[in-house]
Every structure is written in C-alpha cells, then in structure tokens.
Amino acid sequence: MKLGVMTVLLGNLSLDDTLKYLKSLGVQQVEIGCGGFPGKAHCNPEELLKDDKKIAEFKNTIEKHGLEIA
C-alpha cells in the first residue's frame, strides 16, 4: 500500500513546492484537484488538454519528485 495525499490541501504553494514538501514527509502518491469543489490550483485541465508541452511539463514535475499520480 502507498501513502497518498490530495494536493489541494496545499493550494497556496506552487505544484513544485507542494510535491517537494509532500515527498519530504514520505508521501508516495498525489491526487491532484482539477476543478469543481477542490479547485484547480495545481492543474488546470482546460490549459493542459490544449497543450502537449504543458502536459509533459506537468508529468515531469511529478516524476522528478519521485511521486505517482494516485
């Protein structure tokens, strides 16, 4: 079993800073809010779905911290 956290709890931080912090706590997976009630502080689906470069950058940011998307 892997430990995961929903990133919207840290919506006041950048995605990079959020992932760095969560990794330091031993988190292994992240669930990223992308609209609706949780908001989209770390992931705006309208932007990502229109731009392959932004999707790659988003995925690379998560991977560079050794985390997985839950």
Side-chain angles (χ1 to χ4, degrees), residues 6-22:
M6 191 164 191
T7 64
V8 297
L9 300 170
L10 300 165
N12 60 320
L13 300 175
S14 69
L15 177 61
D16 195 57
D17 287 342
T18 295
L19 299 176
K20 188 184 309 180
Y21 174 69
L22 293 175

Side-chain angles (χ1 to χ4, degrees), residues 16-35:
D16 195 57
D17 287 342
T18 295
L19 299 176
K20 188 184 309 180
Y21 174 69
L22 293 175
K23 183 67 177 183
S24 76
L25 297 176
V27 171
Q28 299 158 309
Q29 294 184 327
V30 289
E31 183 177 350
I32 300 176
C34 55

Side-chain angles (χ1 to χ4, degrees), residues 30-67:
V30 289
E31 183 177 350
I32 300 176
C34 55
F37 183 74
K40 50 188 175 183
H42 298 127
C43 175
N44 184 335
E46 293 86 16
E47 289 179 9
L48 292 179
L49 291 172
K50 293 178 185 176
D51 190 337
D52 290 340
K53 185 178 175 183
K54 285 186 180 185
I55 290 174
E57 183 179 300
F58 176 76
K59 289 179 181 179
N60 289 338
T61 301
I62 295 167
E63 290 172 5
K64 86 174 183 181
H65 291 285
L67 296 167

